[in-house]
mmCIF file of all heavy atoms in Angstrom:
data_model
loop_
_atom_site.group_PDB
_atom_site.id
_atom_site.type_symbol
_atom_site.label_atom_id
_atom_site.label_comp_id
_atom_site.label_asym_id
_atom_site.label_seq_id
_atom_site.Cartn_x
_atom_site.Cartn_y
_atom_site.Cartn_z
ATOM 1 N N LEU D 175 15.780 30.138 -6.437
ATOM 2 C CA LEU D 175 15.271 30.413 -7.778
ATOM 3 C C LEU D 175 15.147 31.917 -7.991
ATOM 4 O O LEU D 175 14.585 32.629 -7.147
ATOM 5 C CB LEU D 175 13.919 29.735 -7.988
ATOM 6 C CG LEU D 175 13.928 28.204 -7.880
ATOM 7 C CD1 LEU D 175 12.524 27.650 -8.117
ATOM 8 C CD2 LEU D 175 14.916 27.584 -8.848
ATOM 9 N N VAL D 176 15.679 32.356 -9.127
ATOM 10 C CA VAL D 176 15.682 33.783 -9.455
ATOM 11 C C VAL D 176 14.939 33.994 -10.771
ATOM 12 O O VAL D 176 15.242 33.332 -11.771
ATOM 13 C CB VAL D 176 17.136 34.304 -9.580
ATOM 14 C CG1 VAL D 176 17.126 35.793 -9.928
ATOM 15 C CG2 VAL D 176 17.905 34.056 -8.292
ATOM 16 N N ASP D 177 13.965 34.910 -10.759
ATOM 17 C CA ASP D 177 13.203 35.187 -11.980
ATOM 18 C C ASP D 177 14.134 35.650 -13.089
ATOM 19 O O ASP D 177 15.113 36.369 -12.862
ATOM 20 C CB ASP D 177 12.156 36.277 -11.722
ATOM 21 C CG ASP D 177 11.044 35.787 -10.800
ATOM 22 O OD1 ASP D 177 11.048 34.595 -10.469
ATOM 23 O OD2 ASP D 177 10.191 36.607 -10.408
ATOM 24 N N SER D 178 13.791 35.223 -14.322
ATOM 25 C CA SER D 178 14.642 35.549 -15.459
ATOM 26 C C SER D 178 13.787 35.898 -16.674
ATOM 27 O O SER D 178 12.718 35.319 -16.888
ATOM 28 C CB SER D 178 15.558 34.367 -15.793
ATOM 29 O OG SER D 178 16.295 34.616 -16.973
ATOM 30 N N ASP D 179 14.278 36.847 -17.477
ATOM 31 C CA ASP D 179 13.627 37.187 -18.743
ATOM 32 C C ASP D 179 14.227 36.415 -19.904
ATOM 33 O O ASP D 179 13.742 36.509 -21.040
ATOM 34 C CB ASP D 179 13.768 38.696 -19.014
ATOM 35 C CG ASP D 179 13.008 39.539 -17.988
ATOM 36 O OD1 ASP D 179 11.955 39.062 -17.524
ATOM 37 O OD2 ASP D 179 13.470 40.635 -17.656
ATOM 38 N N GLU D 180 15.269 35.651 -19.621
ATOM 39 C CA GLU D 180 15.917 34.885 -20.680
ATOM 40 C C GLU D 180 15.074 33.657 -21.043
ATOM 41 O O GLU D 180 14.377 33.096 -20.192
ATOM 42 C CB GLU D 180 17.307 34.422 -20.224
ATOM 43 C CG GLU D 180 18.278 35.551 -19.962
ATOM 44 C CD GLU D 180 19.634 35.016 -19.499
ATOM 45 O OE1 GLU D 180 19.882 33.794 -19.670
ATOM 46 O OE2 GLU D 180 20.417 35.817 -18.952
ATOM 47 N N PRO D 181 15.148 33.230 -22.304
ATOM 48 C CA PRO D 181 14.419 32.013 -22.697
ATOM 49 C C PRO D 181 14.901 30.805 -21.883
ATOM 50 O O PRO D 181 16.071 30.718 -21.514
ATOM 51 C CB PRO D 181 14.777 31.862 -24.182
ATOM 52 C CG PRO D 181 15.183 33.229 -24.613
ATOM 53 C CD PRO D 181 15.840 33.870 -23.433
ATOM 54 N N ALA D 182 13.970 29.909 -21.629
ATOM 55 C CA ALA D 182 14.295 28.752 -20.790
ATOM 56 C C ALA D 182 15.210 27.778 -21.522
ATOM 57 O O ALA D 182 15.154 27.646 -22.751
ATOM 58 C CB ALA D 182 13.011 28.041 -20.378
ATOM 59 N N LYS D 183 16.040 27.097 -20.740
ATOM 60 C CA LYS D 183 16.872 26.024 -21.282
ATOM 61 C C LYS D 183 16.940 24.910 -20.248
ATOM 62 O O LYS D 183 16.448 25.045 -19.116
ATOM 63 C CB LYS D 183 18.265 26.527 -21.625
ATOM 64 C CG LYS D 183 19.098 27.017 -20.451
ATOM 65 C CD LYS D 183 20.467 27.476 -20.927
ATOM 66 C CE LYS D 183 21.404 27.828 -19.768
ATOM 67 N NZ LYS D 183 20.903 28.907 -18.928
ATOM 68 N N SER D 184 17.533 23.799 -20.637
ATOM 69 C CA SER D 184 17.628 22.634 -19.743
ATOM 70 C C SER D 184 18.297 23.029 -18.427
ATOM 71 O O SER D 184 19.317 23.722 -18.410
ATOM 72 C CB SER D 184 18.427 21.530 -20.427
ATOM 73 O OG SER D 184 18.456 20.374 -19.616
ATOM 74 N N GLY D 185 17.699 22.594 -17.323
ATOM 75 C CA GLY D 185 18.216 22.916 -16.002
ATOM 76 C C GLY D 185 17.512 24.081 -15.352
ATOM 77 O O GLY D 185 17.570 24.243 -14.128
ATOM 78 N N ASP D 186 16.828 24.919 -16.160
ATOM 79 C CA ASP D 186 16.046 26.021 -15.597
ATOM 80 C C ASP D 186 14.741 25.484 -15.007
ATOM 81 O O ASP D 186 14.385 24.311 -15.179
ATOM 82 C CB ASP D 186 15.724 27.059 -16.679
ATOM 83 C CG ASP D 186 16.944 27.837 -17.123
ATOM 84 O OD1 ASP D 186 17.972 27.770 -16.424
ATOM 85 O OD2 ASP D 186 16.872 28.500 -18.187
ATOM 86 N N TYR D 187 14.021 26.396 -14.342
ATOM 87 C CA TYR D 187 12.723 26.054 -13.766
ATOM 88 C C TYR D 187 11.641 26.905 -14.426
ATOM 89 O O TYR D 187 11.859 28.082 -14.729
ATOM 90 C CB TYR D 187 12.715 26.323 -12.255
ATOM 91 C CG TYR D 187 13.532 25.333 -11.457
ATOM 92 C CD1 TYR D 187 14.923 25.424 -11.428
ATOM 93 C CD2 TYR D 187 12.929 24.314 -10.727
ATOM 94 C CE1 TYR D 187 15.684 24.518 -10.700
ATOM 95 C CE2 TYR D 187 13.682 23.409 -9.985
ATOM 96 C CZ TYR D 187 15.062 23.521 -9.982
ATOM 97 O OH TYR D 187 15.808 22.627 -9.255
ATOM 98 N N ILE D 188 10.491 26.300 -14.627
ATOM 99 C CA ILE D 188 9.330 27.050 -15.095
ATOM 100 C C ILE D 188 8.202 26.901 -14.079
ATOM 101 O O ILE D 188 8.096 25.878 -13.394
ATOM 102 C CB ILE D 188 8.838 26.577 -16.480
ATOM 103 C CG1 ILE D 188 8.487 25.075 -16.456
ATOM 104 C CG2 ILE D 188 9.862 26.895 -17.561
ATOM 105 C CD1 ILE D 188 7.747 24.595 -17.702
#
Side-chain angles (χ1 to χ4, degrees):
L175 299 180
V176 180
D177 291 354
S178 174
D179 294 327
E180 296 179 15
K183 64 179 187 300
S184 184
D186 290 346
Y187 288 77
I188 58 169

